[in-house]
Amino acid sequence: MYDNTNAERPLSQVNALLQCHFSRQHLTSDLAADQARVVRESVRLLHAMVDVISSNGWLSPALATMELCQMAVQVCVAWLDVDWDSTHHRLKFKQKLKVAMEDRLVRTTPHNHTHTQTGHVGARFPSLAATSLFQGAGSRGSPGRRRVCV
Amino acid sequence: MFDLLEMDDEARGALLEGLSEQQTADVATAANRYPDITLKFEVVNAEEVHAGAPVLLAVELEREFEGDLPPVLAPRFPTRKDENWWLVVGDKSSNGLLAIKRVALQARAKAKLEFTAPKDVGKATVVLSFMCDSYLGCDQEYEVELDVQEALEEEEDEQMSE
């Protein structure tokens, strides 16, 4: 996939920058500036791809492209369970959530678009006013640095 | 995500135990910004869906959010990103995409999708997908039942003359 002799080619560079984006590598400021541009453009290109694919009438490639777009924005590759920050917190959090679910403190998490959420609608956000902790914490906190994948 | 928001304070406290104050705040920011959207749909001409004729699907979207909507919460994305959504009508059996519409959803939005009814008379099911371009796991999918009646005569005439 990656050929040393082609390292100067824009194609290889863009590929490398995107790989770094998805694997959350830290780059020096020059490269990071290039990467920012590539990532920004990639989302626009993915939108354009959705347009092209949908004018061909292909359903599943269109949905897959939309999902790839989500992953590019959040830098969360859904099919790889990578622990980027290698902190134990996320792992511990996942385990606790599992235990909580087994205790039926919470319902099973609806995930992905294959599940309808009809029954769920309406009850979702009663907590906005009720949970002082979350609202208070939310307004006080700066934008999150760590993405929580529940 | 919604489970986290719906939990009692006590249970959530136990769940988030061990996180620093900053981390808890980050979790809260993310959870509160996560899109919570109610989707309602209706086939406008449900009584008279004819094979090969247009079907009108009206979709109503409503977001649960107080105040002005900030940009997408994406700490690792280099620039400001606004949410975009796609409404897709598809046919799973043939993997065909029947209609698509891009929606920029703030508090609420209405959209109408038009697509061609299946050729076969009888019950048919198409799938309405509501996809986000920025958040994972918040996509919605609904089955739309259609009762397809025989094709209109006019259309048959047109097809004959072609």
Side-chain angles (χ1 to χ4, degrees):
Chain A
M1 185 179 77
Y2 192 76
D3 185 350
N4 247 349
T5 56
N6 288 332
E8 294 295 313
R9 289 172 60 207
L11 186 69
S12 317
Q13 291 180 1
V14 168
N15 185 11
L17 290 172
L18 281 177
Q19 297 294 343
C20 289
H21 176 64
F22 279 108
S23 53
R24 301 190 171 185
Q25 301 291 319
H26 291 283
L27 298 174
T28 56
S29 59
D30 278 15
L31 288 172
D34 287 353
Q35 187 189 42
R37 184 168 167 207
V38 166
V39 170
R40 218 167 44 228
E41 298 297 328
S42 72
V43 169
R44 294 182 56 202
L45 282 170
L46 283 166
H47 275 248
M49 275 174 72
V50 169
D51 294 344
V52 173
I53 291 169
S54 57
S55 29
N56 281 296
W58 299 330
L59 179 62
S60 55
L63 297 179
T65 312
M66 292 170 190
E67 283 177 359
L68 186 57
C69 188
Q70 298 172 356
M71 294 175 206
V73 173
Q74 295 294 345
V75 201
C76 186
V77 185
W79 59 78
L80 291 175
D81 193 15
V82 190
D83 198 3
W84 292 279
D85 292 341
S86 72
T87 53
H88 293 291
H89 289 307
R90 251 187 53 195
L91 215 68
K92 252 165 64 186
F93 182 79
K94 270 190 178 172
Q95 283 164 354
K96 279 192 194 173
L97 187 67
K98 206 175 150 220
V99 171
M101 278 179 177
E102 281 162 4
D103 288 352
R104 298 187 185 187
L105 282 172
V106 293
R107 287 201 303 273
T108 39
T109 319
H111 57 86
N112 223 337
H113 64 99
T114 43
H115 300 269
T116 55
Q117 299 185 349
T118 13
H120 204 58
V121 167
R124 281 178 190 168
F125 240 81
S127 26
L128 250 182
T131 59
S132 51
L133 162 82
F134 254 43
Q135 268 319 84
S139 54
R140 189 172 68 235
S142 58
R145 268 178 216 94
R146 178 170 292 112
R147 169 158 167 83
V148 181
C149 294
V150 181
Chain B
M1 197 62 95
F2 299 123
D3 292 333
L4 188 71
L5 286 169
E6 281 170 27
M7 287 168 90
D8 335 324
D9 283 350
E10 206 176 302
R12 184 168 50 219
L15 187 66
L16 299 177
E17 201 192 339
L19 296 181
S20 71
E21 201 176 310
Q22 179 63 54
Q23 286 169 328
T24 314
D26 290 348
V27 172
T29 313
N32 287 327
R33 177 61 185 85
Y34 196 71
D36 176 31
I37 290 157
T38 312
L39 186 153
K40 284 185 205 148
F41 65 89
E42 190 190 15
V43 182
V44 178
N45 53 346
E47 298 300 315
E48 34 191 70
V49 172
H50 296 280
V55 182
L56 256 185
L57 186 67
V59 182
E60 237 174 88
L61 302 161
E62 195 174 343
R63 182 198 297 270
E64 286 270 351
F65 197 84
E66 282 171 25
D68 289 332
L69 194 72
V72 171
L73 186 69
R76 289 174 190 274
F77 193 72
T79 50
R80 180 197 155 99
K81 174 90 184 71
D82 288 312
E83 269 176 44
N84 264 297
W85 295 82
W86 285 287
L87 281 164
V88 180
V89 180
D91 180 359
K92 282 256 155 116
S93 57
S94 67
N95 197 20
L97 189 147
L98 303 172
I100 185 167
K101 191 152 221 169
R102 199 149 95 192
V103 196
L105 176 66
Q106 289 291 316
R108 58 184 67 223
K110 279 183 184 177
K112 270 191 180 157
L113 291 123
E114 194 179 315
F115 58 95
T116 311
K119 290 221 164 62
D120 297 325
V121 175
K123 299 271 179 206
T125 309
V126 293
V127 174
L128 171 69
S129 308
F130 181 53
M131 307 280 295
C132 187
D133 80 333
S134 315
Y135 287 100
L136 286 100
C138 59
D139 308 325
Q140 301 180 31
E141 192 176 277
Y142 300 90
E143 291 194 340
V144 185
E145 304 279 344
L146 296 174
D147 188 7
V148 184
Q149 297 166 18
E150 281 186 31
L152 294 169
E153 275 182 25
E154 290 170 318
E155 290 217 336
E156 277 174 1
D157 290 343
E158 273 174 20
Q159 279 168 4
M160 299 263 274
S161 61
E162 274 170 11

